Amino acid sequence: MSAPGSADLVIVANRLPVDRVTLSDGTPGWRTSPGGLVTALLPVMRANDGIWIGWPGGTEQDLEPFDFEGLSLVPMAMSAEDIENFYEGFSNGTVWPLYHDVVAKPQFHREWWDSYVAVNQRFAARAAEMASEGATVWVHDYQLQLVPQMLRNLRPDLRIGFYLHIPFPPAELFQQLPWRRELLEGLLGADLVGFQLNGGAQNFVRLVRQRVGHKTHRDLVYLDDGRTVRASAFPISIDAAGFEELARSEAVGERARAIREALGNPRKIFLGVDRLDYTKGIYPRLRAFSELIIDGHLDVEDAVFVQVATPSRERVEQYRILRDDIDRLVGHINGDLGKIGKPAISYLHSSYPREEMAALYRAADIMVVTPFRDGMNLVAKEYVACRYDNDGALVLSEFAGAADELRQAWLINPYDINGMKTALLDAYNADDRERTRRMRPMRKQIIQHDVVAWADSFLEELAAVRPSHGKTVRPARRS
Ligand code: ADQ
């Protein structure tokens, strides 16, 4: 057992919530990256003097722990090889496609696995060094599934939670993985394993029973050493009040009007906002929209589709292919169907600040979210949060985790182009009453279940799994 450090709450995630920037005087500095996870964890980190361990991006080597805007950050260095094998390889070339219904073919390479083990071990060692006696350590996501057990071996005194942000697949897919048992055992090092949906938690428990041979009952796993592990669903959410406040602001309202103006004040604006990822179903969505124009149901004089697609993981081949495919599709659609000053699709690769995102959500009449598989999908929730007038229409894939909560959306199957066309058209033609009837309950859901409630409920449940073990973390807000 290694000697304890001083942090009572340790967050371990692949990325630190900051990005490297060059300051105006030419020196390197940091900027907080506006992810939802920081928003969720900031209050609880403040209440407990928490620290965050993660990779700052890039290959800088000797970075010391530092404080930034009230956050205590502990950078983990990565070499070019770590990035290639651990991050782009095993994390994004094996686990990501395997856990998303094998939408793309996962690749299995032994050197990727070796690197995954080595990097997970380094994260575990660093967390073991920093955590105080009986501290709570909360490990995040698919890049770090081995950390819980590695950490428990080093520090059995800790309370360890793990949260998976992406889907956990059914046994039929998971068992393709040559290292399936190692991954399950890695996760079982946690006291609480959190998933987006019940289905993921059930898949996990079933696999643990079948593949590792532990006794299970409902959401509990009974280990041979007497410890129990709970596997439950904690659907992640957003800072709903924060988004609504932004959307209500004068500046965002003004910007939303300017966006509509710049698009030629069409009757209706469709909007898609995604990382450029093959799980997000961008291709069939744009095809469905273009076919509605070809069929004469929509006219480019009346309707435009704004698709924001931020390039990501561009060194992974499948992502480069996808980007080329979508670029080509948009070119074809606009070439065939657009008119001068009236493209059918307004296609943007940019990344925007939160204000601009809120303005886009305000400007859009129909939000189109059509992933083939998605852990949750925060874009759908952000759109709902910004529609404070109970207006706007959401077309949502039933394969997004968000569909479990946003039942009143126009739910679609992204593999069914005709069904998607019908839903897009229904949402386009829906009257005010219909839109409000659907939007109101969805808003209520998002406001009641925001991201701080999510973090608090996970940490409360973690404290409850073994109440006599370890210190208790103070929640940011009692819900
Ligand atoms: P992602 O796959 O990245 O997240 P999503 O949940 O939609 O997907 O979150 C994307 C976030 O990035 C949103 O907050 C959105 O506002 C922001 N964003 C997208 N495009 C942007 C742009 N061009 N400019 C600025 N911001 C942009 C993973 C899982 C999801 C799960 C989340 C959280 O894949 O299923 O919901 O983690 O657990």
Side-chain angles (χ1 to χ4, degrees), residues 34-37 96 100 141-142 163-167 196 236-238 243 273-277 279-280 308-311 313 348-354 357 360-361 369 373-382 400-402 454:
L37 196 57
W96 179 270
H100 285 90
D141 227 359
Y142 64 102
Y163 186 78
L164 185 69
H165 290 256
I166 67 174
Q196 298 278 18
I236 200 167
S237 194
I238 57 158
F243 265 101
V273 179
D274 313 78
R275 265 186 320 97
L276 197 33
D277 194 298
T279 59
K280 302 288 182 184
V308 181
T310 329
R313 307 174 190 169
L348 306 154
H349 281 158
S350 328
S351 185
Y352 297 113
R354 253 164 64 105
M357 296 291 285
L360 281 165
Y361 295 142
V369 182
R373 180 60 72 190
D374 213 333
M376 178 53 63
N377 195 291
L378 299 181
V379 166
K381 290 189 168 181
E382 290 165 3
W454 167 80

Side-chain angles (χ1 to χ4, degrees), residues 148-219:
Q149 187 57 50
M150 289 171 166
L151 184 56
R152 182 162 301 284
N153 293 342
L154 295 166
R155 293 286 306 277
D157 59 300
L158 299 176
R159 207 190 275 288
I160 304 171
F162 180 90
Y163 186 78
L164 185 69
H165 290 256
I166 67 174
F168 192 82
E172 289 71 13
L173 297 179
F174 186 83
Q175 47 215 12
Q176 288 182 13
L177 193 70
W179 308 277
R180 56 201 180 190
R181 191 180 170 115
E182 287 90 332
L183 273 193
L184 294 171
E185 284 174 343
L187 292 169
L188 286 171
D191 296 300
L192 176 62
V193 187
F195 298 87
Q196 298 278 18
L197 303 182
N198 267 325
Q202 283 161 11
N203 289 343
F204 174 71
V205 171
R206 179 171 157 226
L207 269 159
V208 162
R209 193 169 56 241
Q210 289 176 346
R211 289 273 151 210
V212 198
H214 291 305
K215 236 181 103 204
T216 67
H217 178 64
R218 297 207 175 151
D219 62 350

Side-chain angles (χ1 to χ4, degrees), residues 48-345:
N48 294 280
D49 287 332
I51 64 164
W52 187 311
I53 300 177
W55 174 43
T59 52
E60 263 179 281
Q61 290 301 308
D62 302 311
L63 286 166
E64 292 296 321
F66 62 100
D67 285 353
F68 184 73
E69 294 184 355
L71 291 165
S72 298
L73 305 176
V74 182
M76 296 293 298
M78 296 255 185
S79 66
E81 266 167 18
D82 294 334
I83 296 174
E84 193 181 328
N85 294 320
F86 154 77
Y87 180 66
E88 292 161 356
F90 197 80
S91 300
N92 289 322
T94 307
V95 181
W96 179 270
L98 181 69
Y99 284 25
H100 285 90
D101 271 7
V102 298
V103 174
K105 196 167 168 46
Q107 295 183 42
F108 304 114
H109 295 299
R110 286 164 285 183
E111 61 277 24
W112 287 2
W113 167 254
D114 293 343
S115 173
Y116 188 80
V117 174
V119 172
N120 272 248
Q121 190 66 60
R122 284 208 318 264
F123 273 79
R126 195 70 168 125
E129 221 171 78
M130 306 297 291
S132 69
E133 177 75 36
T136 293
V137 181
W138 189 357
V139 184
H140 286 266
D141 227 359
Y142 64 102
Q143 303 91 350
L144 301 177
Q145 295 173 90
L146 301 176
V147 169
Q149 187 57 50
M150 289 171 166
L151 184 56
R152 182 162 301 284
N153 293 342
L154 295 166
R155 293 286 306 277
D157 59 300
L158 299 176
R159 207 190 275 288
I160 304 171
F162 180 90
Y163 186 78
L164 185 69
H165 290 256
I166 67 174
F168 192 82
E172 289 71 13
L173 297 179
F174 186 83
Q175 47 215 12
Q176 288 182 13
L177 193 70
W179 308 277
R180 56 201 180 190
R181 191 180 170 115
E182 287 90 332
L183 273 193
L184 294 171
E185 284 174 343
L187 292 169
L188 286 171
D191 296 300
L192 176 62
V193 187
F195 298 87
Q196 298 278 18
L197 303 182
N198 267 325
Q202 283 161 11
N203 289 343
F204 174 71
V205 171
R206 179 171 157 226
L207 269 159
V208 162
R209 193 169 56 241
Q210 289 176 346
R211 289 273 151 210
V212 198
H214 291 305
K215 236 181 103 204
T216 67
H217 178 64
R218 297 207 175 151
D219 62 350
L220 286 180
V221 180
Y222 300 94
L223 304 185
D224 302 337
D225 62 3
R227 198 163 62 82
T228 52
V229 178
R230 188 177 287 273
S232 317
F234 300 86
I236 200 167
S237 194
I238 57 158
D239 174 17
F243 265 101
E244 174 164 347
E245 198 185 318
L246 255 186
R248 282 181 184 274
S249 73
E250 192 65 39
V252 164
E254 195 53 48
R255 178 64 194 143
R257 279 188 290 281
I259 290 171
R260 291 195 76 100
E261 184 79 41
L263 291 165
N265 277 321
R267 211 163 76 76
K268 296 267 162 103
I269 297 172
F270 292 79
L271 174 66
V273 179
D274 313 78
R275 265 186 320 97
L276 197 33
D277 194 298
Y278 50 77
T279 59
K280 302 288 182 184
I282 301 171
Y283 200 97
R285 164 197 319 172
L286 297 181
R287 267 198 61 192
F289 177 75
S290 70
E291 285 187 16
L292 286 171
I293 299 174
I294 295 167
D295 299 346
H297 293 298
L298 296 178
D299 188 317
V300 290
E301 299 289 345
D302 296 330
V304 65
F305 201 119
V306 177
Q307 176 63 56
V308 181
T310 329
S312 77
R313 307 174 190 169
E314 291 212 87
R315 286 158 45 119
V316 179
E317 196 196 356
Q318 279 151 333
Y319 286 77
R320 284 198 301 269
I321 295 172
L322 174 81
R323 181 176 171 158
D324 288 349
D325 285 350
I326 306 278
D327 283 0
R328 213 169 314 131
L329 178 70
V330 171
H332 273 156
I333 294 174
N334 281 342
D336 291 349
L337 305 175
K339 296 185 181 160
I340 288 183
K342 298 267 177 200
I345 297 167

Side-chain angles (χ1 to χ4, degrees), residues 244 384-385 387-394 405-406 408-410 432-448:
E244 174 164 347
V384 169
R387 307 307 302 199
Y388 58 84
D389 50 4
N390 287 314
D391 199 358
L394 174 64
E405 292 171 85
L406 305 177
Q408 296 79 10
W410 275 269
D432 295 356
R433 267 191 66 208
E434 174 69 0
R435 290 195 303 269
T436 302
R437 184 184 71 74
R438 290 173 181 258
M439 187 56 77
R440 186 170 284 147
M442 295 198 286
R443 288 184 48 73
K444 194 169 162 207
Q445 171 71 22
I446 301 293
I447 291 162
Q448 280 176 357

